[in-house]
Amino acid sequence: MRLTPKTKPGREPTIALINVVFLMLVFFMIAGTLAPPLGESVQLVRTADLEGREPPDALVIRADGVLEYRGAELTDVAAYVERASIDLPLDTVRLVPDRALPAVRLKEVSDALRTLGANRVFVVTERGLP
């Protein structure tokens, strides 16, 4: 009696499995929607032509590094803390930096605010939509 050598089982065709999963993915992307579309009678508000303004209680940092609070120039961050603490608590501070402001100066101001007692410092930016 002759013994035949055992043959290794062939590899499973994983390419076919990948193709099926990919086709299912494409099907569900086309067939499903994440949000219902807006009605044809709804027209969204256009804000492209609006003039941007900083919040009234924000600390503005111009491109040359000068600080402003409610239209008045400040000498340093401590002057902002003295002036702003009359109007609102220092717990949360909003910074509005100029686009051309160096990041190093922004970091210096935010660190000084944290040192003087600000728990949270937010940087107010402009969101660009396509």
Side-chain angles (χ1 to χ4, degrees):
M1 177 174 214
R2 243 176 149 174
L3 293 174
T4 58
K6 291 184 179 179
T7 59
K8 292 183 181 178
R11 291 184 141 194
E12 292 185 25
T14 56
I15 297 296
L17 179 63
I18 292 172
N19 287 341
V20 169
V21 170
F22 178 72
L23 288 173
M24 288 176 56
L25 175 68
V26 170
F27 172 76
F28 286 113
M29 285 175 54
I30 293 172
T33 57
L34 296 177
L38 292 174
E40 292 180 13
S41 63
V42 175
Q43 298 212 356
L44 298 177
V45 176
R46 291 188 170 266
T47 59
D49 299 329
L50 293 180
E51 179 183 339
R53 295 188 184 192
E54 73 274 359
D57 59 344
L59 176 62
V60 178
I61 310 172
R62 295 191 316 223
D64 57 359
V66 175
L67 304 173
E68 289 182 3
Y69 177 66
R70 296 191 175 186
E73 286 189 13
L74 302 175
T75 55
D76 59 355
V77 178
Y80 167 76
V81 172
E82 290 174 16
R83 211 163 162 193
S85 62
I86 297 169
D87 301 329
L88 57 127
L90 190 64
D91 182 49
T92 301
V93 176
R94 288 189 272 177
L95 291 176
V96 181
D98 188 273
R99 184 178 304 224
L101 179 74
V104 173
R105 177 66 176 143
L106 180 62
K107 176 86 168 98
E108 289 171 357
V109 171
S110 64
D111 288 345
L113 286 167
R114 299 286 299 222
T115 303
L116 292 172
N119 293 329
R120 296 164 47 185
V121 177
F122 293 103
V123 177
V124 179
T125 61
E126 176 182 60
R127 181 191 305 184
L129 296 176

PDB file of all heavy atoms in Angstrom, residues 53-55 57-60 93-99 106 121-127:
ATOM      1  N   ARG A  53     -16.750  91.170  14.203  1.00  0.00           N
ATOM      2  CA  ARG A  53     -16.408  91.989  15.375  1.00  0.00           C
ATOM      3  C   ARG A  53     -16.061  91.069  16.520  1.00  0.00           C
ATOM      4  O   ARG A  53     -16.612  89.990  16.662  1.00  0.00           O
ATOM      5  CB  ARG A  53     -17.574  92.866  15.781  1.00  0.00           C
ATOM      6  CG  ARG A  53     -17.905  93.872  14.738  1.00  0.00           C
ATOM      7  CD  ARG A  53     -18.912  94.835  15.211  1.00  0.00           C
ATOM      8  NE  ARG A  53     -19.229  95.706  14.085  1.00  0.00           N
ATOM      9  CZ  ARG A  53     -19.892  96.795  14.191  1.00  0.00           C
ATOM     10  NH1 ARG A  53     -20.335  97.169  15.350  1.00  0.00           N
ATOM     11  NH2 ARG A  53     -20.133  97.526  13.138  1.00  0.00           N
ATOM     12  N   GLU A  54     -15.154  91.532  17.352  1.00  0.00           N
ATOM     13  CA  GLU A  54     -14.770  90.735  18.512  1.00  0.00           C
ATOM     14  C   GLU A  54     -15.861  90.815  19.570  1.00  0.00           C
ATOM     15  O   GLU A  54     -16.621  91.781  19.616  1.00  0.00           O
ATOM     16  CB  GLU A  54     -13.433  91.209  19.079  1.00  0.00           C
ATOM     17  CG  GLU A  54     -13.494  92.523  19.805  1.00  0.00           C
ATOM     18  CD  GLU A  54     -13.352  93.741  18.909  1.00  0.00           C
ATOM     19  OE1 GLU A  54     -13.179  93.604  17.697  1.00  0.00           O
ATOM     20  OE2 GLU A  54     -13.434  94.848  19.462  1.00  0.00           O
ATOM     21  N   PRO A  55     -15.940  89.801  20.417  1.00  0.00           N
ATOM     22  CA  PRO A  55     -16.883  89.869  21.541  1.00  0.00           C
ATOM     23  C   PRO A  55     -16.515  91.052  22.442  1.00  0.00           C
ATOM     24  O   PRO A  55     -15.343  91.407  22.563  1.00  0.00           O
ATOM     25  CB  PRO A  55     -16.668  88.539  22.264  1.00  0.00           C
ATOM     26  CG  PRO A  55     -16.009  87.651  21.270  1.00  0.00           C
ATOM     27  CD  PRO A  55     -15.246  88.538  20.345  1.00  0.00           C
ATOM     28  N   ASP A  57     -16.247  91.484  25.592  1.00  0.00           N
ATOM     29  CA  ASP A  57     -15.419  91.246  26.774  1.00  0.00           C
ATOM     30  C   ASP A  57     -14.128  90.510  26.440  1.00  0.00           C
ATOM     31  O   ASP A  57     -13.491  89.953  27.322  1.00  0.00           O
ATOM     32  CB  ASP A  57     -16.209  90.453  27.821  1.00  0.00           C
ATOM     33  CG  ASP A  57     -16.680  89.118  27.279  1.00  0.00           C
ATOM     34  OD1 ASP A  57     -16.664  88.933  26.055  1.00  0.00           O
ATOM     35  OD2 ASP A  57     -17.049  88.261  28.095  1.00  0.00           O
ATOM     36  N   ALA A  58     -13.716  90.543  25.183  1.00  0.00           N
ATOM     37  CA  ALA A  58     -12.514  89.812  24.766  1.00  0.00           C
ATOM     38  C   ALA A  58     -11.291  90.720  24.802  1.00  0.00           C
ATOM     39  O   ALA A  58     -11.376  91.936  24.650  1.00  0.00           O
ATOM     40  CB  ALA A  58     -12.700  89.251  23.369  1.00  0.00           C
ATOM     41  N   LEU A  59     -10.151  90.103  24.995  1.00  0.00           N
ATOM     42  CA  LEU A  59      -8.875  90.792  24.950  1.00  0.00           C
ATOM     43  C   LEU A  59      -8.336  90.662  23.526  1.00  0.00           C
ATOM     44  O   LEU A  59      -8.123  89.561  23.035  1.00  0.00           O
ATOM     45  CB  LEU A  59      -7.894  90.164  25.950  1.00  0.00           C
ATOM     46  CG  LEU A  59      -6.474  90.722  25.956  1.00  0.00           C
ATOM     47  CD1 LEU A  59      -6.476  92.197  26.341  1.00  0.00           C
ATOM     48  CD2 LEU A  59      -5.604  89.932  26.918  1.00  0.00           C
ATOM     49  N   VAL A  60      -8.164  91.793  22.859  1.00  0.00           N
ATOM     50  CA  VAL A  60      -7.702  91.811  21.471  1.00  0.00           C
ATOM     51  C   VAL A  60      -6.195  92.030  21.459  1.00  0.00           C
ATOM     52  O   VAL A  60      -5.676  92.873  22.186  1.00  0.00           O
ATOM     53  CB  VAL A  60      -8.414  92.929  20.673  1.00  0.00           C
ATOM     54  CG1 VAL A  60      -7.915  92.983  19.242  1.00  0.00           C
ATOM     55  CG2 VAL A  60      -9.912  92.727  20.717  1.00  0.00           C
ATOM     56  N   VAL A  93     -11.201  83.638  29.865  1.00  0.00           N
ATOM     57  CA  VAL A  93     -10.747  84.788  29.083  1.00  0.00           C
ATOM     58  C   VAL A  93     -10.792  84.409  27.613  1.00  0.00           C
ATOM     59  O   VAL A  93     -10.367  83.332  27.226  1.00  0.00           O
ATOM     60  CB  VAL A  93      -9.307  85.192  29.477  1.00  0.00           C
ATOM     61  CG1 VAL A  93      -8.814  86.326  28.605  1.00  0.00           C
ATOM     62  CG2 VAL A  93      -9.237  85.566  30.932  1.00  0.00           C
ATOM     63  N   ARG A  94     -11.305  85.322  26.800  1.00  0.00           N
ATOM     64  CA  ARG A  94     -11.311  85.111  25.355  1.00  0.00           C
ATOM     65  C   ARG A  94     -10.292  86.042  24.714  1.00  0.00           C
ATOM     66  O   ARG A  94     -10.340  87.260  24.920  1.00  0.00           O
ATOM     67  CB  ARG A  94     -12.701  85.378  24.786  1.00  0.00           C
ATOM     68  CG  ARG A  94     -13.670  84.294  25.169  1.00  0.00           C
ATOM     69  CD  ARG A  94     -14.954  84.453  24.438  1.00  0.00           C
ATOM     70  NE  ARG A  94     -15.812  85.339  25.226  1.00  0.00           N
ATOM     71  CZ  ARG A  94     -17.006  85.740  24.823  1.00  0.00           C
ATOM     72  NH1 ARG A  94     -17.459  85.383  23.664  1.00  0.00           N
ATOM     73  NH2 ARG A  94     -17.727  86.517  25.594  1.00  0.00           N
ATOM     74  N   LEU A  95      -9.398  85.464  23.933  1.00  0.00           N
ATOM     75  CA  LEU A  95      -8.382  86.223  23.211  1.00  0.00           C
ATOM     76  C   LEU A  95      -8.768  86.300  21.743  1.00  0.00           C
ATOM     77  O   LEU A  95      -9.141  85.298  21.138  1.00  0.00           O
ATOM     78  CB  LEU A  95      -7.022  85.543  23.308  1.00  0.00           C
ATOM     79  CG  LEU A  95      -6.325  85.516  24.657  1.00  0.00           C
ATOM     80  CD1 LEU A  95      -5.045  84.712  24.560  1.00  0.00           C
ATOM     81  CD2 LEU A  95      -6.022  86.920  25.114  1.00  0.00           C
ATOM     82  N   VAL A  96      -8.653  87.481  21.162  1.00  0.00           N
ATOM     83  CA  VAL A  96      -8.884  87.661  19.735  1.00  0.00           C
ATOM     84  C   VAL A  96      -7.573  88.149  19.126  1.00  0.00           C
ATOM     85  O   VAL A  96      -7.281  89.345  19.160  1.00  0.00           O
ATOM     86  CB  VAL A  96     -10.023  88.675  19.471  1.00  0.00           C
ATOM     87  CG1 VAL A  96     -10.253  88.837  17.980  1.00  0.00           C
ATOM     88  CG2 VAL A  96     -11.285  88.243  20.174  1.00  0.00           C
ATOM     89  N   PRO A  97      -6.757  87.240  18.604  1.00  0.00           N
ATOM     90  CA  PRO A  97      -5.477  87.658  18.028  1.00  0.00           C
ATOM     91  C   PRO A  97      -5.623  88.084  16.573  1.00  0.00           C
ATOM     92  O   PRO A  97      -6.487  87.589  15.846  1.00  0.00           O
ATOM     93  CB  PRO A  97      -4.624  86.394  18.131  1.00  0.00           C
ATOM     94  CG  PRO A  97      -5.616  85.284  18.010  1.00  0.00           C
ATOM     95  CD  PRO A  97      -6.879  85.786  18.655  1.00  0.00           C
ATOM     96  N   ASP A  98      -4.789  89.010  16.173  1.00  0.00           N
ATOM     97  CA  ASP A  98      -4.712  89.383  14.768  1.00  0.00           C
ATOM     98  C   ASP A  98      -4.103  88.216  13.997  1.00  0.00           C
ATOM     99  O   ASP A  98      -3.307  87.448  14.531  1.00  0.00           O
ATOM    100  CB  ASP A  98      -3.844  90.637  14.608  1.00  0.00           C
ATOM    101  CG  ASP A  98      -3.882  91.176  13.205  1.00  0.00           C
ATOM    102  OD1 ASP A  98      -3.068  90.709  12.381  1.00  0.00           O
ATOM    103  OD2 ASP A  98      -4.718  92.043  12.924  1.00  0.00           O
ATOM    104  N   ARG A  99      -4.479  88.092  12.749  1.00  0.00           N
ATOM    105  CA  ARG A  99      -3.974  86.990  11.925  1.00  0.00           C
ATOM    106  C   ARG A  99      -2.454  87.037  11.776  1.00  0.00           C
ATOM    107  O   ARG A  99      -1.806  86.005  11.682  1.00  0.00           O
ATOM    108  CB  ARG A  99      -4.632  87.075  10.553  1.00  0.00           C
ATOM    109  CG  ARG A  99      -4.286  85.957   9.619  1.00  0.00           C
ATOM    110  CD  ARG A  99      -5.019  86.131   8.321  1.00  0.00           C
ATOM    111  NE  ARG A  99      -6.443  86.227   8.582  1.00  0.00           N
ATOM    112  CZ  ARG A  99      -7.368  85.616   7.893  1.00  0.00           C
ATOM    113  NH1 ARG A  99      -7.036  84.898   6.863  1.00  0.00           N
ATOM    114  NH2 ARG A  99      -8.634  85.741   8.194  1.00  0.00           N
ATOM    115  N   LEU A 106       1.361  85.301  21.198  1.00  0.00           N
ATOM    116  CA  LEU A 106       0.099  84.736  21.670  1.00  0.00           C
ATOM    117  C   LEU A 106       0.335  83.801  22.849  1.00  0.00           C
ATOM    118  O   LEU A 106      -0.388  83.840  23.843  1.00  0.00           O
ATOM    119  CB  LEU A 106      -0.604  83.994  20.533  1.00  0.00           C
ATOM    120  CG  LEU A 106      -1.931  83.339  20.869  1.00  0.00           C
ATOM    121  CD1 LEU A 106      -2.954  84.377  21.297  1.00  0.00           C
ATOM    122  CD2 LEU A 106      -2.431  82.540  19.688  1.00  0.00           C
ATOM    123  N   VAL A 121      -8.443  79.799  28.903  1.00  0.00           N
ATOM    124  CA  VAL A 121      -8.148  80.838  27.923  1.00  0.00           C
ATOM    125  C   VAL A 121      -8.569  80.306  26.556  1.00  0.00           C
ATOM    126  O   VAL A 121      -8.070  79.281  26.111  1.00  0.00           O
ATOM    127  CB  VAL A 121      -6.644  81.205  27.922  1.00  0.00           C
ATOM    128  CG1 VAL A 121      -6.352  82.236  26.848  1.00  0.00           C
ATOM    129  CG2 VAL A 121      -6.220  81.710  29.289  1.00  0.00           C
ATOM    130  N   PHE A 122      -9.519  81.000  25.925  1.00  0.00           N
ATOM    131  CA  PHE A 122     -10.001  80.606  24.600  1.00  0.00           C
ATOM    132  C   PHE A 122      -9.452  81.568  23.558  1.00  0.00           C
ATOM    133  O   PHE A 122      -9.402  82.768  23.793  1.00  0.00           O
ATOM    134  CB  PHE A 122     -11.527  80.645  24.535  1.00  0.00           C
ATOM    135  CG  PHE A 122     -12.191  79.623  25.390  1.00  0.00           C
ATOM    136  CD1 PHE A 122     -12.774  79.969  26.599  1.00  0.00           C
ATOM    137  CD2 PHE A 122     -12.241  78.301  24.999  1.00  0.00           C
ATOM    138  CE1 PHE A 122     -13.399  79.033  27.391  1.00  0.00           C
ATOM    139  CE2 PHE A 122     -12.858  77.355  25.791  1.00  0.00           C
ATOM    140  CZ  PHE A 122     -13.436  77.723  26.991  1.00  0.00           C
ATOM    141  N   VAL A 123      -9.084  81.040  22.411  1.00  0.00           N
ATOM    142  CA  VAL A 123      -8.655  81.863  21.288  1.00  0.00           C
ATOM    143  C   VAL A 123      -9.811  81.920  20.301  1.00  0.00           C
ATOM    144  O   VAL A 123     -10.254  80.887  19.793  1.00  0.00           O
ATOM    145  CB  VAL A 123      -7.392  81.289  20.616  1.00  0.00           C
ATOM    146  CG1 VAL A 123      -7.009  82.117  19.413  1.00  0.00           C
ATOM    147  CG2 VAL A 123      -6.239  81.228  21.617  1.00  0.00           C
ATOM    148  N   VAL A 124     -10.311  83.111  20.048  1.00  0.00           N
ATOM    149  CA  VAL A 124     -11.435  83.308  19.142  1.00  0.00           C
ATOM    150  C   VAL A 124     -10.891  83.423  17.732  1.00  0.00           C
ATOM    151  O   VAL A 124      -9.996  84.230  17.459  1.00  0.00           O
ATOM    152  CB  VAL A 124     -12.240  84.574  19.512  1.00  0.00           C
ATOM    153  CG1 VAL A 124     -13.387  84.784  18.544  1.00  0.00           C
ATOM    154  CG2 VAL A 124     -12.727  84.490  20.943  1.00  0.00           C
ATOM    155  N   THR A 125     -11.400  82.575  16.830  1.00  0.00           N
ATOM    156  CA  THR A 125     -10.934  82.560  15.453  1.00  0.00           C
ATOM    157  C   THR A 125     -12.105  82.710  14.502  1.00  0.00           C
ATOM    158  O   THR A 125     -13.262  82.696  14.901  1.00  0.00           O
ATOM    159  CB  THR A 125     -10.203  81.226  15.142  1.00  0.00           C
ATOM    160  OG1 THR A 125     -11.129  80.153  15.322  1.00  0.00           O
ATOM    161  CG2 THR A 125      -9.011  81.042  16.047  1.00  0.00           C
ATOM    162  N   GLU A 126     -11.785  82.814  13.251  1.00  0.00           N
ATOM    163  CA  GLU A 126     -12.790  82.909  12.203  1.00  0.00           C
ATOM    164  C   GLU A 126     -12.872  81.560  11.511  1.00  0.00           C
ATOM    165  O   GLU A 126     -11.848  80.993  11.139  1.00  0.00           O
ATOM    166  CB  GLU A 126     -12.375  83.982  11.206  1.00  0.00           C
ATOM    167  CG  GLU A 126     -13.277  84.121  10.032  1.00  0.00           C
ATOM    168  CD  GLU A 126     -12.742  85.181   9.078  1.00  0.00           C
ATOM    169  OE1 GLU A 126     -11.627  85.022   8.583  1.00  0.00           O
ATOM    170  OE2 GLU A 126     -13.466  86.160   8.865  1.00  0.00           O
ATOM    171  N   ARG A 127     -14.075  81.061  11.360  1.00  0.00           N
ATOM    172  CA  ARG A 127     -14.234  79.789  10.679  1.00  0.00           C
ATOM    173  C   ARG A 127     -14.503  80.069   9.208  1.00  0.00           C
ATOM    174  O   ARG A 127     -15.413  80.804   8.861  1.00  0.00           O
ATOM    175  CB  ARG A 127     -15.408  78.993  11.242  1.00  0.00           C
ATOM    176  CG  ARG A 127     -15.568  77.655  10.543  1.00  0.00           C
ATOM    177  CD  ARG A 127     -16.835  76.962  10.874  1.00  0.00           C
ATOM    178  NE  ARG A 127     -17.013  76.791  12.289  1.00  0.00           N
ATOM    179  CZ  ARG A 127     -18.025  76.142  12.834  1.00  0.00           C
ATOM    180  NH1 ARG A 127     -18.939  75.624  12.062  1.00  0.00           N
ATOM    181  NH2 ARG A 127     -18.141  76.022  14.124  1.00  0.00           N
TER     182      ARG A 127
END
